[in-house]
Amino acid sequence: MAAATFPGWTCAPFTGGGFTYDVYRKGTGPGVVLIPEMPGLHPGVWELGNHLVANGFTVAAPSLFGTPGAGIGPDAAVVMAKACVAREFAAFATNKKRPVTDFLRALARDLNDSTPGPGVGVIGQCFTGGFALAAAVDDAVLAPVMSQPSLPIGLTPARRRDPGLSEGELSIVARRAEEDGLCALGLRFSEDQMAPRERFQTLKDRLGDAFEVIEIDSGPGNPYGLNRFAHSVITDQVVYDENHPTYRARERVVEFLRERLAG
């Protein structure tokens, strides 16, 4: 069924870090773990995955929640509610090592073992945005990309400032940035309250020039026609015009992955 629904993709369960999830794979070349955004592996995430494959990457996309292929509809709220109370995601906790990141690190190592290049990239989005940086605790991860990272859910100033991973994890990432040249890429819309600017400032303060930030103007009167609720930078909000900042942002993600994974 997976092959019929998602042409060219294979699907098999993968176990790591005490968790088992189905993982969809496709492509050749350096590896990229593509973590879904809410409400799961929706059509926009598949489109991004196919775009990465077309640009020469092997993509491994774990199905952490929701129904693969389902659109963003009424059931999305149910998926979100379940994920928010699941222990593996710890949606509201600050200074927290999220258990699911152990699974993602194991998946990154597995992908690295089967693909060319010195390491792999990890892309997290929305609910899973911070997971990409947490995965970079593992030496196999050389190119973490955080698109609109939304955990912990920013209901308080402390949560808005929280980087989305534990102090222990962030310290390791900061050390890798200083000693090994690790770099990370972060993307957000300027008015996106789900991915607070304060969170990006925390990461910039800790990682300095190793944290590249792309912030797209979605404020009143912006020249791109974006409204203040714009959220999904590299999936649903992409405008297929080479002069549009969302298009350029997605192309920068591809370029960043090539730079870091070329070997």
Side-chain angles (χ1 to χ4, degrees):
M1 187 173 76
T5 307
F6 314 114
W9 293 82
T10 62
C11 178
F14 178 81
T15 298
F19 298 95
T20 299
Y21 296 101
D22 283 344
V23 176
Y24 293 80
R25 302 178 191 246
K26 184 179 182 182
T28 57
V32 178
V33 176
L34 177 59
I35 316 173
E37 62 185 349
M38 281 293 164
L41 292 170
H42 64 74
V45 178
W46 287 115
E47 198 279 332
L48 174 59
N50 283 318
H51 182 71
L52 293 170
V53 169
N55 277 276
F57 297 101
T58 300
V59 176
S63 181
L64 302 183
F65 39 72
T67 301
I72 302 175
D75 291 341
V78 176
V79 175
M80 180 73 171
K82 289 181 178 178
C84 281
V85 298
R87 71 174 184 87
E88 60 264 39
F89 303 126
F92 296 95
T94 58
N95 188 24
K96 177 68 175 180
K97 178 185 180 295
R98 290 169 167 80
V100 74
T101 58
D102 287 330
F103 169 85
L104 296 170
R105 291 173 192 135
L107 179 58
R109 291 191 296 271
D110 177 78
L111 185 61
N112 187 41
D113 288 342
S114 62
T115 54
V120 301
V122 180
I123 300 175
Q125 308 169 83
C126 178
F127 194 83
T128 68
F131 299 176
L133 192 61
V137 165
D138 196 289
D139 290 344
V141 177
L142 298 184
V145 177
M146 295 169 286
S147 192
Q148 73 273 359
S150 303
L151 292 190
I153 296 171
L155 300 180
T156 67
R159 290 192 177 110
R160 293 173 66 82
R161 292 190 302 268
D162 190 273
L165 62 166
S166 70
E167 173 57 32
E169 291 169 314
L170 184 53
S171 294
I172 294 172
V173 171
R175 178 189 56 77
R176 289 194 65 202
E178 181 177 357
E179 298 178 2
D180 304 331
L182 179 73
C183 292
L185 177 63
L187 307 97
R188 69 181 297 273
F189 288 106
S190 65
E191 308 308 302
D192 186 1
Q193 298 305 303
M194 293 179 64
R197 180 177 283 114
E198 296 94 325
R199 181 163 300 144
F200 273 51
Q201 188 59 56
T202 295
L203 291 169
K204 192 68 174 175
D205 290 344
R206 293 295 297 274
L207 302 179
D209 291 341
F211 183 44
E212 178 184 345
V213 175
I214 296 175
E215 184 175 270
I216 297 173
D217 182 8
S218 59
N222 73 82
Y224 316 115
L226 296 164
N227 66 52
R228 64 188 180 91
F229 299 108
H231 179 62
S232 298
V233 179
I234 54 177
T235 56
D236 284 2
Q237 259 74 54
V238 172
V239 175
Y240 293 90
D241 175 347
E242 63 182 14
N243 295 313
H244 198 276
T246 56
Y247 183 92
R248 294 198 301 268
R250 192 174 70 164
E251 291 309 291
R252 175 56 190 148
V253 169
V254 172
E255 181 184 43
F256 175 76
L257 293 170
R258 283 181 177 148
E259 291 170 354
R260 309 305 300 175
L261 307 180

